Every structure is written in C-alpha cells, then in structure tokens.
C-alpha cells in the first residue's frame, strides 16, 4: 500500500533516526521535521530503493525458508498515524516483540544449522571426519547463539549503512546459491539420496529416496496433499501447521518500511522497492515449488528437509546460503525492532518509560534502542526452543497485517480526501479480504494464541488510551464518526419529531466561564443525553481585525469542558451587541434536528461574580496549545485563557432592557427560556457524595422543589398549562440522572383555605402526575394572606375567597387572552403588582423550603409586549427569586409530555 499524502509524508521526510530535539514541544524544531530538518539531515540518508528496500525485503522474505523451510519490518507508523495512538501503540509493541522473537528464532535456527554440520553428534550416530568438532548441549548452543547475535548487534550498532553493505554481500551469495539451485534441476540427473538418521523410518536396510529429475509421474504424485508426521518434532502435520512455517517466508514484506528513516526518498523507494521484492519473491517461490514438485519424490520431501543441499553439485554452497540468509534475517529483525522501539519512544506513548531509548549517535543512529533490542533478544535466546514462540510471532505478524488492512479500510470508509492510494488495484474489497484472511489464518494456526494476542492488543490499547498522551496525528475514529454523524443527521428529519421523544437541548450563554462553573456542571446534569452547547458572545466586529479572534480561544474552552467533565459543545460568536450575538447563536447553533430548544441565561442582578478557576490549572487534552508537537502529555497543565471576572465598579456588557429582550427574542423564536440564579452556591460534590443529613437526623436525599403556578399571576389557577408541565418535565429529567437519583421532588400547590376547588385541584394534579408517571410529594400551600395583598391592590373588589363561578369565569377569560395574544399575559399585572405582594410570595417560598432544597424550579412569566415595562418585569422577577438559593425560573413554550405510548 502506498499513498502520497501528508499522512505518510511527514514520516517519510522527517527521519526516524534523526536526533530528538531537546524540547519536543518546541514549535520551530517540530516544524523542521517537515521542512528544514529534511534539508538538514538529507546527507544522513544514504539508502536507495535497492539497498534500502529491495535487498532487506528479499532477504527477510526468503531467509532460510527457501533452504530449510524454517519474519521482519514496520507498520507501526502507518497504523498509528491512520488509526491513532491507541491502535498504533498497541500494534507497535506487538510488532516490536515479534521482531525480537523473530531475531532470536533465526539465531537459534542458524545455531541448529551449524550444529548439524559441525557439532559433535550423539553416541550411535555416524561422524563425518574433520567436520563435527563443536561441543553440543544447551549451554554450548546458547554460547554460539550469543556470539552470533553479538555480531548482528555490532553491525546494527554501527549504523544502517553498514547493515546495507552487509546485506549486499549476503544478497550476492544468496543469488549465487539460488542460481545454482535452479541450474541443478537442469543439469543434475536422477540420483539416490541418503535420508538422515532421524527421519523416523523403521528397519535396518539403507534408507534412501529418489531425485528423479523433472518427470511427469513425479509431478502428478506430488499434486494432492498427504500430510505425515514431522520427523524432527514427531507432530502430525496439517495445512495450518505448514502454513505457519511457510508464512515466515512472507513476513519480511515490511522490512523496507522499517528503514524509512534511513532512505533518501522513502515515499518513492518503499512502494516500488516493496512491490519489486514481493514480485520477485512470488515468482521465485512458485517456480521453485514447481521444480521441486516435478523432480523430488514425496518421500524425499517428507524425510529430508535439507534435500536441496543433497542434490546440489556442491552441497556446501547451500549450507553457505543457509548461514548467510539466516544471519541477514536475524539482523533485519534486530534493526527493525530497534527502529520500532525508537519510533515508539519518539512518540512518547509511554511517557518517560522509554525516554532513554531516544538517544542517538551523532550520525542519527538510535544506538540505545539497538542496545535494548539486543538485550531482549539475548533474553529470548535463553528459552532455547522457540517452537511455541514461533507460532505466536506468526500470529502477531498476521495481526499486524490485519491492522494495516484495517487502517486502509477505515480511511476508505471514512472517505478521507487525503487518502489517495497510488496502488491502482486498491479497493475496499482487497482490504476486507486481507483482514478476513489474516484473522482466519490466526485462528487456524492456534485459536488460543490468536485470542491471547487479540486480548493483549486490547489491553495495550486501553492502557494507552487512558494513560498515554494526546496526539495531533489525527484519529481515524474522528473521521469515521464524522462520516456517520453526517449521514444520520441527514436522516434526522425535524418533520418527524414527536413530543414523546422530546429531550432538552440546551444553549447555555456564558459571559465568563470563571464565574459560572457551578451552573455549567448543573446544566450538564439537566441535559438528559440531549444537546448541550456552551455559547459565548465576544463584543466586536471583524472589520479592521487581521483574523478571527475567537479561533485561538476554542482550545481553552474545550480544555475547560474536559476539566469540568461535562459533555458539551462550544460555540463562540462575534457581534456588536450581546443581543445580536445570542440571536445569531439561536439561529445557527446545531444541525438539522439537533438544535437547541431551550435557552439558559444567568440571572441579571448586582452580585459580584467570583472566580471559580482562580489558582487552578486545566489539563491540556487538545492540540491547540502547541499545534505542531507530535503528542501532548495527558498530565500537562495550562492556565485557562479567560479574562478576569467583572469587578464591583466594572460596567456590564448589556443593560436591563437588552437582557429582557433576550428572553422575548427566544420566546418569539419558539425557544424555552430558563434563568439560572444563585448557582454560585451550588455544590455538586456534596450532592454526588451521597445522602444528606438534615436537622431531624434522618438520612435523605436532596430535595428539588417545584412551584408550577405563575406566582406573579395569583388570579391564575392553571397547573396544567404548557409552562407548568415544562417545569415538571425538567425536574423529572433532573431526577433521572445518576447524580440526582436520590433526589426527591416536592410539588407545591397554592390554594385558598375553604375554597371548594381545593380538593378538586389536588385530585386533578395527583391524577396528572400519575398519568405522567412522575413520583413527587404534593404539598398544599395556603396563601390567603399573600393573595389578599394582590386583590386589595386591585381596588378591593374581591376579598378572601373567590366565588367558584367568578373564579371559573376569570380562568376562562384568561385562557382566551392567552390564545389571542401570548404577549398580553403580563402587562396589566406588571403595572398593578406591588413589591409588598412579591416579597410576601418570596417569604412564602422560603418558609416552605425546609429542609432546604438543592434547587428550586419557579414559573417565569413571559415578558410584557410593552418594552417600556421591561425594567419593571425584571425587578419583579428579581424580588420573587431573591435569597432562594440555586433557582431556575422557567418559561416553557413547547409541549413536552404526553400520556400516549
């Protein structure tokens, strides 16, 4: 897979072996990775297509599988930059250990090959004079393996250019050996081959098999499968086991990409070199398989794994090919593991745990990562036998290849415009086939190991997700989410909205986040999985400004959202007045069916705001603080970029009339309005901590008081109008959240003593609560003395209780007024309502607030149609809600409840 996009271009030009800047968050040095650093380090990149990609890929893919039927390079960067740090880091760790174990596997394979030729045999086995002189045994084999591994370590420690030269010599030997093998099938006639003594055949007669030369009957005899016992292990062979062995000859496909930091032009060399090597290997394997199947009897293939040496015109030449290809594969795995480890350390996915691995030489060689990889390979060598680990390595590589295909498939499904593969045969079908093929073969080889490797990957994924830093590489999940959200937003038809699926979608206007963190967290509880948007208006115009001043502030707002642990969007706007800014936000916030239906405003009063963020540091979880750093530590802290709170003598950004105009504008636009007051007194931590002990020493939950009557209209008896039901719905929604699950609703019903409608109203209200399935404690509040103040002000026409007929007549008249003009509810009362009456209502609410509630819900009248009464309206609402603690004054204009299922 190849793509010429910024997704890979940064990796292919920044250099994985370049020295790490002292300050990884330095803007200029990070940018140099894309531009200046490339020019600076271009001289350190010495490898081209052939020596940097084709040669290591060929040697890794051929290795000793060609000769003995007994792995390699890097997909970490591509996966991490495509799927994000979680997938990339987890796959990278697995790929690192796979290369470590693969290097040890090849070293032990080389030791076994050497011991089969030069080792002193066991008793009873024939000795070839002058050759078998090396002592055998576990510790001797470990010593030989350590020596061979140290040679590989020295080569890799010197640098990639020495490795390339060494592999060039090896590839020449390999080509010579492979050429002689092909020539042998032409010039060597039929011969009888002696089978090895441990081939498992019974009897004392000479054990032989035939090399027939290319014959039709031999080819036909080898066409169909006929699995037997492996004479070296005693295990019955099967397709899955043979695949696991042969698959190691194909895992070197990414050996070239491991060297990307050492290539002159990686974006050019990797795709062309890899495809050339794969094509060469494919043709070689297939031609060799056809020649072997047509010239060697099945008995020879099953009982002598070194048959290519036995039929060669000079058998030691094949032995030399085995040694050279094996040690090259071991070096390829070792240098590949070191490069993967170095890339992981540079990306800082594991914090300071891999800090030392970033050390490089003056030429840019990551010598410390080579040292660590060498030590780990040495540890694996102590295992001696790697049959079990070899299967795990194969499964790890299959999982890596599945992840590579998954990365390509995810980019294709996300319709990312920058994903433009240059491979013409690429489609999502090939990715899917690669994923399914890799997963199927994993479970065919060993289901237990497959499950274990996937579980290990998921464990690493979760650890990196919760403990690792935040990167700016881009997350494929974000692209996929965007793609799906856009599709579903188009399907979310506002014409199909129904009241039974209503949920609060809230726009909270925030003047300064420093003074309203309590309100922001409370509204987060109130949203009930609905839309929650934090809105802010900055006064000013773009005219004369060089750029948008709001773009630089989004990061601070989003960091605050993370700090408060709320689920909210942020929408900032620039306007010449607060009113115009709020209008803009009400018009444009949201998409399709996801638009705010409720506007939440802080209350307009003379209280001096307090700084809730004073002395606090926000965790940086975005990339805006430093847009070019590869990753940001999850524990890094930044000071919030918000202005200081308003002082006692500072002017407000809007006046009283403009504030009331915000309420009127929202009602005209069909939005519900909520005014939040005294939420600087709201302490959510006490609420979440559990139950509260009140004066009567009983353990109870917090109370939520609801006053569904319009207290500024005592002549109204409408407990079931739209606004009252909206109050009840919001209170019920709040109670359903986890933090408020122990809260108890108290519903206060204002009645007049002796009124014949008292019981009727209570019965009607309880019936409504039952139909709406709302659990609440109903309390009857006698307010004769309070309401009498209102009627006395109106000329004493009515004293005490109203006659039922007069009351019914008044209610009917008011209902007609509401239908005719929704803005004519308040005006007359605004002029006639006295401060004495409103203060009495306020005292009534406070007297019935024992135990003290956590929050109160009050009915908010609509603003008067006459704008000259706006200040009077605000004054009366102010007196009504004064000193009540956290209070919501709510005006609901949309139906929100239904009894239909």
């Amino acid at each position: 897979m190849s793509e010429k996009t910024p997704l890979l271009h940064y990796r292919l030009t920044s250099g994985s072996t370049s020295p790490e800047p002292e300050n990884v968050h330095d803007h200029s040095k990070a940018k140099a990775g894309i531009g200046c650093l490339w020019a600076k380090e271009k001289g350190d990149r010495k490898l081209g297509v052939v020596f940097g990609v084709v040669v290591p890929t060929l040697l890794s893919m051929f290795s000793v599988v060609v000769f003995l039927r007994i792995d390699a390079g890097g997909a970490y960067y591509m996966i991490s930059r495509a799927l994000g740090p979680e997938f990339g880091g987890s796959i990278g760790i697995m790929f690192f250990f796979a290369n470590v174990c693969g290097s040890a596997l090849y070293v032990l394979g080389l030791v076994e090959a050497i011991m089969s030729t030069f080792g002193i045999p066991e008793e009873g086995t024939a000795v070839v004079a002058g050759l078998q002189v090396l002592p055998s045994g576990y510790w001797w084999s470990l010593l030989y393996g350590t020596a061979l591994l140290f040679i590989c370590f020295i080569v890799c420690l010197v640098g990639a250019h020495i490795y390339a030269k060494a592999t060039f010599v090896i590839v020449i030997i390999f080509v010579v050996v492979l050429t002689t093998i092909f020539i042998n099938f032409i010039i060597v006639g039929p011969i009888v081959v002696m089978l090895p003594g441990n081939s498992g055949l019974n009897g004392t007669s000479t054990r032989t098999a035939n090399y027939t030369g290319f014959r039709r009957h031999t080819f036909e005899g080898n066409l169909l499968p006929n699995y037997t016992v492996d004479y070296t292990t005693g295990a019955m062979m099967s397709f899955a086991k043979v695949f696991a062995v042969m698959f190691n000859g194909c895992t070197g496909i990414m050996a070239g990409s491991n060297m990307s930091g050492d290539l002159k032009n990686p974006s050019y060399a990797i795709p062309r070199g890899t495809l050339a090597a794969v094509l060469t290997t494919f043709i070689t394997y297939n031609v060799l398989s056809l020649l072997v199947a047509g010239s060697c009897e099945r008995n020879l293939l099953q009982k002598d794994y070194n048959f290519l040496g036995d039929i060669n015109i000079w058998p030691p030449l094949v032995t030399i090919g085995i040694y050279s290809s094996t040690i090259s594969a071991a070096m390829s795995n070792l240098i590949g593991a070191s490069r993967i480890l170095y890339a992981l350390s540079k990306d800082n996915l594991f914090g300071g745990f891999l800090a030392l691995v970033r050390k490089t030489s003056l030429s840019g060689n990551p010598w410390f990562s080579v040292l660590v990889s060498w030590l780990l390979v040495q540890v694996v060598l102590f295992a001696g036998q790697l049959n079990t680990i070899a299967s795990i390595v194969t499964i790890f590589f299959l999982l890596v290849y599945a992840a590579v295909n998954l990365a390509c498939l995810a980019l294709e499904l996300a319709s990312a415009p920058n994903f433009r593969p240059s491979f013409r045969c690429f489609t999502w079908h090939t990715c899917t086939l690669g994923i399914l093929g890799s997963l199927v073969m994993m479970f065919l080889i060993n289901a237990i190991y497959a499950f274990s490797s996937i579980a290990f990957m998921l464990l690493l994924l979760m650890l990196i997700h919760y403990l690792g830093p935040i990167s700016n590489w881009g997350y494929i999940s974000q692209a996929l989410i965007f793609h799906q959200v856009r599709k579903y937003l188009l399907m979310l038809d506002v014409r199909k909205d129904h009241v039974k699926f209503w949920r609060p979608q809230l726009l909270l206007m925030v003047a300064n986040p420093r003074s309203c963190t309590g309100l922001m967290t409370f509204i987060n509880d109130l949203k009930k999985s609905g839309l929650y948007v934090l809105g802010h208006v900055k006064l000013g115009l773009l005219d004369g400004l060089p750029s948008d001043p709001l773009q630089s502030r989004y990061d601070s707002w989003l960091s605050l959202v993370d700090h408060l642990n709320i689920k909210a969007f942020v929408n900032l706007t620039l306007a010449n007045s607060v009113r115009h800014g709020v209008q803009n936000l009400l018009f444009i916030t949201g998409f399709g069916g996801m638009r705010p239906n409720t506007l939440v405003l802080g209350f307009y009063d003379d209280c001096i705001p307090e700084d809730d963020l004073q002395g606090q540091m926000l965790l940086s979880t975005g990339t805006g603080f430093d847009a070019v750093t590869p990753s940001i530590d999850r524990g890094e802290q930044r000071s919030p970029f918000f202005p200081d709170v308003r002082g006692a003598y500072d002017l407000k950004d809007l006046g009283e009339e403009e504030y009331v105009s915000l309420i009127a504008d929202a009602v005209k636009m069909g939005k519900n309005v909520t005014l939040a007051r005294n939420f600087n007194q709201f302490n959510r931590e006490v609420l979440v901590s559990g139950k509260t002990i009140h004066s009567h020493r009983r353990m109870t939950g917090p109370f939520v008081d609801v006053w569904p009557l319009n207290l500024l209209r005592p002549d109204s008896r409408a407990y079931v109008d739209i606004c009252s039901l909206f109050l009840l719905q919001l209170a019920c929604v709040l109670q359903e959240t986890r933090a408020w699950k122990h809260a108890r609703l108290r519903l206060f019903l204002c009645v007049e003593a002796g009124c014949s409608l008292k019981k009727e109203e209570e019965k009607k209200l309880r019936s409504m609560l039952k139909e709406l399935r709302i659990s609440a404690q109903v309390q009857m509040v006698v307010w004769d003395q309070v309401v009498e103040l209102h009627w006395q002000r109106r000329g004493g026409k009515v004293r005490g209780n109203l006659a039922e007929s007069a009351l019914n007549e008044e209610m009917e008249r008011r209902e007609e007024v509401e239908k005719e003009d929704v803005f004519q509810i308040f005006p007359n009362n605004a002029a006639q309502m006295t401060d004495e009456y409103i203060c009495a209502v306020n005292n009534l609410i406070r007297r019935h607030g024992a135990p003290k509630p956590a929050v109160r819900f009050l009915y908010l009248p609509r603003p008067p149609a006459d704008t000259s009464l706006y200040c009077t309206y605000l004054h009366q609402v102010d007196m009504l809600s004064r000193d009540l603690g956290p209070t919501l004054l709510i005006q609901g204009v949309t139906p929100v409840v239904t009894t239909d299922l």
Side-chain angles (χ1 to χ4, degrees):
M1 188 277 295
S2 171
E3 52 173 320
K4 297 180 179 179
T5 68
L7 180 66
L8 291 181
H9 182 69
Y10 174 78
R11 162 68 168 178
L12 302 180
T13 58
S14 63
S16 63
T17 60
S18 60
E20 181 72 7
E22 294 180 2
N23 182 5
V24 296
H25 298 295
D26 186 83
H27 287 230
S28 60
K29 293 183 180 179
K31 291 180 179 178
I34 302 178
C36 301
L37 186 61
W38 163 240
K40 178 181 178 182
E41 297 182 350
K42 189 174 181 179
D44 296 335
R45 300 167 177 270
K46 303 177 181 179
L47 304 183
V49 178
V50 177
F51 296 122
V53 180
V54 177
V55 170
T57 303
L58 280 174
L59 291 177
S60 296
M61 294 182 69
F62 282 124
S63 65
V64 293
V65 175
V66 176
F67 308 107
L68 287 179
R69 305 200 311 212
I70 298 225
D71 153 20
Y76 159 68
Y77 194 90
M78 288 182 285
I79 296 174
S80 64
R81 267 49 178 186
L83 298 185
E86 294 92 347
F87 269 102
S90 57
I91 291 294
I93 288 294
M94 296 174 65
F95 205 21
F96 167 71
F97 283 118
N99 277 273
V100 167
C101 295
S103 180
L105 178 66
Y106 286 125
V107 170
L108 288 177
L110 178 56
V111 170
E112 292 181 2
I114 293 175
M115 294 303 294
S116 65
T117 304
F118 301 102
I120 298 176
E122 299 177 358
E123 296 183 3
T125 307
V127 177
V128 180
L131 292 179
Q132 297 173 314
V133 294
L134 296 179
S136 60
Y138 169 78
W139 292 107
W140 285 106
S141 296
L142 180 61
L143 178 62
Y144 304 147
T146 301
L148 293 172
L149 178 61
F150 186 76
I151 296 175
C152 298
F153 168 66
I154 293 299
V155 173
C156 296
L157 188 64
V158 173
H161 61 288
I162 299 298
Y163 164 75
K165 293 179 181 178
T167 55
F168 176 67
V169 174
I170 294 173
V171 80
I172 293 177
I173 298 174
F174 173 79
V175 170
V176 172
V177 174
L178 195 60
T179 302
T180 60
I181 290 175
F182 283 113
I183 294 175
N184 283 333
F185 288 107
I186 300 175
I187 65 175
V188 175
I191 58 175
V192 177
V193 179
M194 295 291 297
L195 298 179
N198 59 343
S199 60
L201 296 176
N202 297 324
T204 58
S205 60
T206 304
R207 290 165 291 191
T208 61
N210 295 323
Y211 168 77
T212 64
F214 197 79
R215 297 290 185 269
R216 178 178 179 180
H217 66 86
T218 305
F219 183 79
E220 292 176 348
N222 289 324
L223 279 179
L224 299 179
N226 183 18
Y227 299 107
T228 59
V229 175
D230 180 6
Y231 72 88
T232 62
T233 63
M236 184 65 186
M237 301 303 292
S238 64
F239 172 78
K241 293 180 179 180
V242 174
F243 176 86
V245 173
M246 294 301 298
F247 181 78
N248 287 279
C250 303
T251 55
I253 189 174
M254 293 183 180
S257 63
N258 263 354
M259 306 294 295
S260 60
D262 303 291
L263 300 176
K264 295 179 181 178
N265 189 356
S267 60
Y268 176 86
I270 290 178
R272 289 164 176 80
T274 301
L275 290 177
V278 169
L279 181 61
T280 302
T281 307
F282 177 79
I283 295 174
T284 303
Y285 271 135
N286 281 278
V287 172
L288 187 59
S289 298
L290 292 174
L291 293 175
V292 168
S295 59
C296 300
E297 290 184 349
R298 185 186 297 272
N299 191 37
L300 175 62
L301 300 178
Q302 292 177 339
K303 304 302 179 183
D304 185 2
Y305 293 163
N306 196 28
F307 67 92
L308 288 179
D310 296 334
I311 65 176
N312 198 278
I313 53 177
W314 189 46
L317 192 61
V318 175
T319 303
I320 295 174
I322 293 174
Y323 295 167
S324 60
S325 61
T326 307
I327 199 168
S328 71
M331 285 191 298
S332 176
N333 279 262
L334 180 60
I335 198 170
S338 67
R339 295 310 192 264
I340 295 171
L341 185 62
Y342 178 63
L344 286 167
S345 66
K346 285 185 65 178
D347 288 340
N348 198 29
L349 293 182
F350 299 91
F353 183 72
L354 297 178
L356 292 176
V357 183
R358 301 175 195 167
K359 294 182 178 297
T360 61
S361 63
L362 295 178
S363 61
N365 185 36
W367 64 270
F368 203 91
S369 63
V370 176
L371 177 63
V372 172
S373 302
W374 169 66
L375 291 176
L376 290 177
V377 175
Q378 183 64 55
V379 171
V380 177
L381 286 180
F382 281 94
Q385 298 294 329
L386 290 181
N387 293 333
T388 302
I389 298 179
S391 298
I392 298 178
V393 171
T394 300
I395 289 176
F396 275 12
F397 276 113
L398 281 171
L399 193 57
V400 171
Y401 299 148
V404 173
N405 283 278
L406 178 61
C408 297
L409 178 62
L411 289 169
E412 177 70 12
L413 295 180
S415 301
N418 282 330
F419 180 63
R420 296 184 291 271
S422 59
F423 185 54
R424 297 180 180 179
C425 299
F426 171 82
T427 65
W428 69 268
H429 305 84
T430 57
C431 297
T432 306
L433 185 62
I435 295 172
L436 295 178
S438 299
L439 294 178
V440 168
M441 290 314 304
M442 285 173 57
F443 285 93
L444 285 179
I445 293 173
N446 193 308
I448 297 178
Y449 293 163
F451 275 117
S452 301
S453 62
I454 294 175
F456 181 55
M457 182 195 71
L458 294 178
L459 177 62
L460 290 173
L461 188 149
M462 290 187 293
L463 289 176
I464 297 175
H465 176 75
Y466 289 107
L467 302 179
I470 302 299
S471 72
N472 65 348
W473 306 335
Y475 293 78
I476 189 61
S477 59
Q478 296 297 306
L480 292 172
I481 290 172
F482 176 88
H483 184 73
Q484 292 300 110
V485 167
R486 181 193 63 84
K487 180 172 67 175
Y488 287 117
L489 276 176
L490 293 173
M491 298 171 60
L492 190 59
D493 194 343
V494 295
R495 296 169 296 182
K496 299 179 182 179
D497 283 346
H498 194 276
V499 64
K500 64 185 176 183
F501 302 120
W502 180 90
R503 67 186 67 216
Q505 305 196 84
L506 308 169
L507 171 61
L508 171 62
M509 296 305 304
V510 180
N512 190 335
R514 290 183 177 274
S515 59
C516 60
T517 56
L519 177 59
M520 294 166 68
T521 55
F522 174 79
I523 298 300
N524 184 67
D525 291 334
L526 194 62
K527 70 180 186 303
K528 183 55 179 176
S529 69
L531 180 66
Y532 181 20
V533 181
L534 300 177
H536 173 73
V537 178
K538 178 176 175 55
L539 296 180
L541 295 174
L542 277 177
D543 299 341
L545 295 178
S547 62
D548 183 4
L550 299 177
Q551 294 302 317
S552 61
R553 302 194 177 188
Y554 270 97
D555 293 319
S556 293
W557 282 81
L558 295 175
S559 296
L560 178 62
V561 168
D562 295 332
H563 175 71
L564 298 178
N565 195 25
I566 61 178
K567 299 179 180 179
F569 298 95
V570 176
N571 204 349
L572 312 180
T573 188
L574 189 68
N576 59 351
S577 68
V578 175
R579 183 181 182 184
H580 289 162
V582 174
Q583 288 177 351
N584 293 339
L585 291 177
L586 287 174
F587 277 124
I588 67 174
T589 300
F591 292 96
M594 290 193 66
R595 293 183 177 274
N597 54 31
T598 303
L599 174 66
V600 183
L601 300 171
F603 197 78
Y604 192 97
D605 53 25
D606 296 328
C607 294
I608 305 301
E610 300 176 359
D611 190 350
D612 300 331
L613 299 178
Q614 185 175 9
Q616 295 191 29
M617 305 292 286
L618 303 187
L619 291 180
S620 174
T621 56
T623 59
F625 291 115
D626 193 351
V628 295
T629 50
S631 62
I632 296 177
D633 191 354
R634 190 179 294 270
E636 183 179 353
Q637 296 180 333
R638 303 275 181 165
S639 298
F641 182 72
F642 299 119
D644 294 333
V645 296
R646 177 175 53 85
Y649 300 102
D650 296 335
L651 296 178
K652 298 180 180 180
D653 291 335
L654 75 166
E656 293 182 353
E657 293 186 358
E658 186 179 4
Y659 178 80
V660 180
S661 298
L662 299 180
I663 304 173
D665 292 342
V667 173
K668 291 178 183 178
M669 299 170 67
K671 308 294 184 182
N672 310 294
V673 179
T674 298
L675 306 183
R677 186 172 193 181
N678 297 326
F679 273 87
N680 59 322
Q681 306 172 15
F682 177 73
N683 192 339
R684 189 176 186 274
E685 295 181 359
V686 175
L687 180 72
V688 175
S689 62
K691 298 181 179 179
T692 307
I693 302 178
H694 296 292
S695 58
H696 46 72
R697 310 304 298 173
R698 292 182 57 191
M699 296 289 292
T700 61
F703 286 99
V704 176
D705 289 359
V706 181
W707 295 76
L709 179 67
N710 186 355
L711 298 174
L712 296 182
R713 283 187 52 207
D715 53 342
S716 172
R717 296 296 187 273
Y719 284 98
V720 290
D721 65 0
I722 291 177
C723 185
S724 298
L725 293 177
F726 188 81
L727 262 74
L728 290 174
Q729 179 75 331
L730 283 189
C732 185
V733 166
L734 182 65
Q735 188 186 27
E736 291 177 359
T737 60
R738 180 178 301 177
W740 295 80
K741 61 182 179 180
H742 298 297
R744 298 169 60 184
L745 296 185
R746 294 190 301 193
L747 190 59
F748 294 91
L749 183 62
C750 295
V751 296
E752 297 181 48
C755 180
S756 60
L757 293 179
K758 175 181 178 181
K759 294 184 179 180
E760 181 181 343
E761 289 292 331
E762 181 181 1
K763 181 179 180 181
K764 183 178 180 180
L765 184 60
R766 292 186 183 277
S767 176
M768 180 191 67
L769 294 176
K770 183 178 180 180
E771 290 181 359
L772 297 177
R773 298 171 298 280
I774 297 177
S775 177
Q777 174 185 348
V778 179
Q779 295 188 13
M780 309 303 292
V781 178
V782 178
W783 69 330
D784 294 57
Q785 295 180 352
V786 175
V787 78
E788 186 176 0
L789 296 174
H790 170 69
W791 296 120
Q792 288 177 350
R793 176 63 180 170
R794 298 187 64 178
K797 294 181 180 179
V798 180
R799 298 181 60 86
N801 299 332
L802 290 173
E804 295 182 16
S805 58
L807 176 60
N808 292 334
E809 181 181 350
E810 180 71 11
M811 292 174 61
E812 293 175 359
R813 185 181 67 81
R814 289 292 179 179
E815 291 176 358
E816 292 297 327
V817 172
E818 291 178 1
K819 294 179 181 178
E820 292 175 2
D821 188 356
V822 295
F823 290 99
Q824 296 301 322
I825 297 176
F826 189 85
N828 295 330
N829 289 336
Q832 299 176 3
M833 201 70 61
T834 65
D835 291 354
E836 183 182 10
Y837 165 75
I838 300 175
C839 290
V841 173
N842 179 268
N843 290 331
L844 178 71
I845 297 174
R846 284 189 289 168
R847 289 199 309 268
H848 290 80
K852 185 178 180 180
V855 64
R856 287 184 172 94
F857 287 72
L858 300 184
Y859 192 117
L860 175 68
R862 296 189 182 188
D866 187 357
T867 57
S868 64
L869 299 176
Y870 277 4
C871 292
T872 303
Y873 168 83
L874 184 59
H875 171 69
Q876 294 177 354
V877 174
D878 175 38
M879 288 193 300
L880 176 67
S881 58
R882 188 173 297 171
D883 300 327
L884 294 182
T887 303
L888 292 181
L889 296 109
I890 300 171
Q891 171 56 229
V893 298
T894 57
V896 293
V897 295
T898 179
T899 58
D900 297 331
L901 294 178

